[in-house]
Amino acid sequence: MLFRRKTATLATETGEVATETAAPPPRQKEKLGWFEKRSRRRRRRIIFEEVLGWILVPAFIYLIYLGIKSVGGIPKELVDFANELIAMALKGKG
């Protein structure tokens, strides 16, 4: 067997613990201050927002494309209206 437990040795049966076989005490987790906690929260939130952006923006673009395809394309009147809006925005208050 690969993972068979070792049998108890004579030293451990009598209560003596050998110093070289004793495991070191587990290291306690360091306590973080409020600034470190805040920076870790911000980092997690920023990564989460980036992942959401990379998933949701293409999904929205694809849904808009499907909507346009379902109505048979962009109506000519809407294209003319958008051109007028762009022209007015570039001219200014005029």
Side-chain angles (χ1 to χ4, degrees), residues 81-92:
F81 179 68
N83 285 337
E84 286 181 29
L85 285 178
I86 292 171
M88 284 181 7
L90 290 176
K91 268 192 217 177

Side-chain angles (χ1 to χ4, degrees), residues 45-86:
R45 188 180 68 238
I46 288 172
I47 290 172
F48 178 72
E49 289 172 356
E50 286 289 325
V51 169
L52 270 183
W54 280 101
I55 292 171
L56 290 180
V57 169
F60 286 150
I61 292 172
Y62 183 63
L63 289 175
I64 290 170
Y65 168 75
L66 287 179
I68 290 171
K69 292 292 274 185
S70 68
V71 296
I74 299 175
K76 183 181 182 312
E77 294 81 13
L78 190 60
V79 173
D80 292 339
F81 179 68
N83 285 337
E84 286 181 29
L85 285 178
I86 292 171

Side-chain angles (χ1 to χ4, degrees), residues 14-53:
T14 58
E16 300 172 12
V17 178
T19 56
E20 62 270 3
T21 60
R27 212 170 105 198
Q28 289 193 356
K29 213 174 179 184
E30 67 178 76
K31 292 201 172 195
L32 299 174
W34 69 270
F35 190 75
E36 289 86 7
K37 288 180 184 176
R38 179 176 167 251
S39 67
R40 288 186 183 183
R41 280 194 314 265
R42 287 184 73 192
R43 191 176 325 126
R44 277 197 306 263
R45 188 180 68 238
I46 288 172
I47 290 172
F48 178 72
E49 289 172 356
E50 286 289 325
V51 169
L52 270 183

